[in-house]
Amino acid sequence: MSVVGLVSQSGARFLVNLVAGRLGGPVVLGHVAVAMSAVQLLALVGPTSLGSAASKYMAQSLGEGDLAGTRAVARHIWRATLACGLVLGLSGGLIWRVWFDGTWAESLTVGVMTASLSTYTVARGAFFGHRHIGPSGTWDALVAVIGVVGSAGLLVMGVRSVLALLPMALGWTIYSWAGWPRGAAGVPTGAVRREINHFVVVTAVGTLTSAGFIQASLVVARVVGGTEGSGYYSAALTISAPLSILVGAANSVLFPSMAEALGRGAEDAFRRQLHQSTEAIVVIMSGAIGLLMVLSSPVLALVWGDRFRAAEPLLPIMLGAILAYVTAVPSVSALVTRGAAQARITTAFGIAGAMAGGVIWLLTATSFGVIGVAWGYLISTVVSSGLTVLVAWRREAQRWWGPMVRLLVIAAAAAVGWLLPRAGSVSVGVSALGFLALWAALFAGRLRSVVTHLSSRGRPQSPDPLT
């Protein structure tokens, strides 16, 4: 159900971008995609961390058998969410009006989108924190249909501005209503409030410098390459980003599960979840992302058509960044679940990655345009993700030498598989088959354990609903 929810939301954004690009070309796609990225970037300032706090601390209280504590945490987080959503919504509207020269109607749309996405993000964290994953997936699917049908309908009728995104904001508002913690009551202790607030601040900075970097890269692509260049960049990003859906869905379940394990004092279960989830990601995502990298040219032509041919060099770079990002997702969850002190480490790594990517932008953006922006995104992700994996590897005593060496070999093979057809050595089909053969040979021994892990049954949900 977590997959259903994230596939629905990511699929909705993909379909809206697809309709915008097909009907309006790179210029309209760039306009719509930049607005959506600006909204997502603003939501990372606080609501994303508040959602993570809801997921972590509610699940941790459940693991400790403290239902009253769970309800008090929910009330504290939602009060902060409403204040944060109001401030960010007003900020989003003003930014679009002043920086992007939007009309007042467009600015109002961006403001409403920002506020509704803020509350949606925390509602989703509350659903998962209380282990109500099934209802979350159902509501996600419902509001995604509302967003796609409404936004696509407006685009078909001739709307060529961010006003076409208003139905998506409506869907997020409905989800927020569904996830509102109606049973929330009480006040957390002073120590718990301070811990939650510290956690939110630290993770917000880390999220902005890691996950926020990709949204910022689209804004930079708009500055460097104009609306058309950002359209090409958005086309490559729209294809590559959905590959992280499965990982995001797994992590939405993994994060509160880890927190609950720590609440029960089950250290072995915590480390086992980290190992199994990382291994599953390495095996599955290296094959899927690597194959898409090799086939990037025909896939790009199939999805976007000839008008987006200029986006072809961007897609392999972004796919490499996605592979680095998803590999580190369980490690990030493990460190953040340990508490604010460990979360500061991921924040520091996010800052280091952002600085590295920013340097690449300064050195290459002027000469290479949006390709330089893509390289900055790749370097930023590799630095932050690589450091995070190394620390989790050491601190949680993981045995990852084999999977990580195989991952590096597969990544290199995918890059070679993309280059060979362009050098005229082999066809794209032969290159893809060769890549698949190498991937199967390297990971054949691990596929059975991964399948067993993915098919195992989870813990039952709490019988006492909060949301």
Side-chain angles (χ1 to χ4, degrees):
M1 291 307 298
S2 178
V3 172
V4 169
L6 280 182
V7 167
S8 299
Q9 290 298 317
S10 298
R13 293 168 188 158
F14 174 84
L15 290 173
V16 171
N17 281 337
L18 181 63
V19 174
R22 282 289 189 175
L23 293 179
V27 174
V28 174
L29 174 60
H31 197 60
V32 169
V34 167
M36 202 174 295
S37 287
V39 168
Q40 291 175 286
L41 183 59
L42 285 170
L44 294 175
V45 173
T48 299
S49 297
L50 285 166
S52 297
S55 181
K56 169 181 164 60
Y57 288 99
M58 290 171 64
Q60 187 169 301
S61 295
L62 283 178
E64 296 169 350
D66 183 10
L67 184 59
T70 303
R71 296 177 182 275
V73 166
R75 182 173 181 267
H76 175 72
I77 290 176
W78 269 99
R79 291 179 66 180
T81 299
L82 293 177
C84 189
L86 177 61
V87 172
L88 290 175
L90 292 173
S91 301
L94 290 174
I95 289 172
W96 193 257
R97 173 66 177 171
V98 175
W99 194 359
F100 294 100
D101 295 324
T103 66
W104 283 112
E106 292 175 340
S107 301
L108 179 61
T109 299
V110 171
V112 171
M113 288 180 64
T114 304
S116 60
L117 182 60
S118 299
T119 55
Y120 161 84
T121 301
V122 180
R124 198 166 197 278
F127 267 130
F128 278 76
H130 217 269
R131 314 309 297 273
H132 292 167
I133 301 170
S136 172
T138 301
W139 281 106
D140 260 326
L142 176 63
V143 302
V145 171
I146 294 173
V148 170
V149 173
S151 294
L154 290 175
L155 287 165
V156 170
M157 288 188 294
V159 177
R160 295 292 183 266
S161 69
V162 298
L163 293 175
L165 300 177
L166 197 55
M168 298 191 71
L170 173 62
W172 294 332
T173 302
I174 293 173
Y175 185 100
S176 301
W177 168 82
W180 185 271
R182 294 163 181 82
V187 179
T189 64
V192 172
R193 288 200 306 273
R194 286 191 294 272
E195 183 180 351
I196 292 174
N197 295 339
H198 187 201
F199 174 87
V200 169
V201 172
V202 171
T203 54
V205 176
T207 302
L208 276 172
T209 54
S210 54
F213 198 81
I214 180 56
Q215 308 301 336
S217 73
L218 187 52
V219 176
V220 173
R222 168 74 176 266
V223 175
V224 171
T227 305
E228 186 175 23
S230 65
Y232 295 133
Y233 192 89
S234 300
L237 179 62
T238 300
I239 293 177
S240 60
L243 288 170
S244 61
I245 292 174
L246 290 176
V247 177
N251 189 58
S252 296
V253 180
L254 176 68
F255 185 66
S257 180
M258 282 182 162
E260 185 180 357
L262 289 181
R264 292 184 285 112
E267 291 283 340
D268 289 343
F270 177 88
R271 292 191 173 94
R272 184 170 60 251
Q273 290 178 55
L274 172 60
H275 174 78
Q276 292 175 337
S277 56
T278 300
E279 184 179 57
I281 287 172
V282 168
V283 173
I284 296 173
M285 299 307 292
S286 65
I289 293 176
L291 181 62
L292 186 56
M293 186 182 295
V294 176
L295 298 174
S296 59
S297 181
V299 168
L300 193 68
L302 176 65
V303 174
W304 295 111
D306 293 336
R307 286 190 293 179
F308 288 83
R309 192 182 300 274
E312 183 178 338
L314 297 169
L315 185 53
I317 301 173
M318 292 189 176
L319 288 169
I322 292 295
L323 180 58
Y325 167 75
V326 298
T327 302
V329 165
S331 296
V332 172
S333 291
L335 293 176
V336 171
T337 305
R338 287 289 188 184
Q342 300 289 348
R344 285 197 294 269
I345 296 176
T346 64
T347 298
F349 293 160
I351 294 173
M355 292 176 63
V359 169
I360 298 299
W361 285 350
L362 291 174
L363 295 176
T364 64
T366 303
S367 302
F368 296 96
V370 292
I371 293 180
V373 177
W375 275 109
Y377 168 47
L378 172 62
I379 297 301
S380 170
T381 308
V382 169
V383 170
S384 59
S385 297
L387 291 173
T388 302
V389 169
L390 287 174
V391 169
W393 186 346
R394 176 177 175 273
R395 295 197 173 190
E396 301 298 338
Q398 296 296 315
R399 293 177 292 178
W400 285 345
W401 275 111
M404 293 305 166
V405 170
R406 292 183 181 93
L407 176 64
L408 293 176
V409 172
I410 285 297
V416 172
W418 179 79
L419 288 171
L420 287 179
R422 283 146 189 83
S425 303
V426 297
S427 66
V428 174
V430 171
S431 184
L433 290 175
F435 170 81
L436 282 176
L438 177 62
W439 174 80
L442 287 176
F443 288 112
R446 307 307 307 164
L447 285 174
R448 178 175 296 179
S449 63
V450 168
V451 171
T452 301
H453 167 61
L454 293 177
S455 61
S456 61
R457 295 180 61 87
R459 292 172 57 83
Q461 296 181 356
S462 169
D464 186 2
L466 176 67
T467 56

